Amino acid sequence: GNEASSNADFQELVITRINQAIYSIDLALYSFFGLPDVELAIIAAKNRGVRVRLVYDQRTMQSGVQALLDAGILMSQKPDNNGLMHNKFAIFDARDEDPSNDWVWTGSWNWTSTELSWLNNVIEINDPSLAENYTIEFEEMWGSNTDIPDSNNAKFGDDKIDNTNHTFTIGGIEVESYFSPSDQTESYLVNSIESADTSVYFALLAFTSDPLSAAIESQHVNHNMNDCRGLISDANNTGSEFEKLSGLFPNEVFDHGGNGVSKLHHKFGTVDVSNPSSDPQLITGSHNWSASANQRNDENTLIIHDLHLANQYMQAFKPMYNDMGGATAFQIPVITSIAENLSKVPTEFVLEQNYP
């Protein structure tokens, strides 16, 4: 009863979400082109009174972005300096008074026609607290909390500060939220990996982070975490951890580039995905496992402590792993007692001063 939504049509999904927006849409997009129906949906939302704001990377103006600008939608663009505005997130209706319609859309998919055929993932979360958190990050890059951007106050990259909350409980699920480069995201990814008792699986466009690779090696050598499987698209990049990890885990870590397969653009990992009693976790977002993602780029990352979502991503991982020749069986997690889920039950309630 936990089947993943495979072969999802991201274009149709995002159009549906746009069409349902009532009050506001905030878009932080690294890339947007080749999707005229999405352009029309956004412009139609603006024309029916929805407040639309756009944050965009420093790159050359792409067709989708230009269409929004031509329709009168305002934009805050990252200055031409160090790093990328690499986010691919959208926030829907977080600026109205109704908390029930607040949605965050994020993941690895850039809003382009090219990437519709690539291996990507998207997650949608209906939660006002998380939507507010993403709005804080958005408005830091927008430069104001109004409909008008303020380029003098807008902050990107190293200029940003750690001003968002990091832990949430959404539908009984613990969720961690981090934005780069202000939040030292890599250290929390290391913490997640270092919690692994049995397994770490990952599917990544790029893996060049020494600390993350070292955390996997340490869990393997010092804590008997022997089930590590991985797919790296840009396995031959300068600084790639592919050779090291494929040496540690022979026939389990694969170079996914080329070979006629669809390009892998994911940035996800799972921890203890088959072990219900060992805090299964899903890591996803826009953040490649690289120094640039941690130290330079504007990125967003979620660490979700949930067996069922981690299992759905394992379902996505398995055929990619098998296609590359991976032959080790996957263990389907079995919940044998309610006690294994007691961590989901609140044991304490605290009322604290509102932020800030």
Side-chain angles (χ1 to χ4, degrees), residues 255-268:
D255 176 355
H256 197 277
N259 299 324
V261 295
S262 180
K263 185 174 181 65
L264 186 153
H265 192 250
H266 288 296
K267 302 96 169 51
F268 79 77

Side-chain angles (χ1 to χ4, degrees), residues 78-119:
K78 178 182 172 65
D80 186 10
N81 57 17
N82 193 32
L84 306 173
M85 203 301 296
H86 195 242
N87 287 300
K88 313 100 170 43
F89 72 73
I91 314 159
F92 299 93
D93 287 332
R95 301 172 66 200
D96 65 7
E97 299 299 321
D98 180 2
S100 68
N101 62 4
D102 296 1
W103 285 87
V104 171
W105 164 295
T106 189
S108 66
W109 179 61
N110 288 304
W111 292 27
T112 75
S113 55
T114 302
E115 290 195 22
L116 289 175
S117 62
W118 291 4
L119 297 165

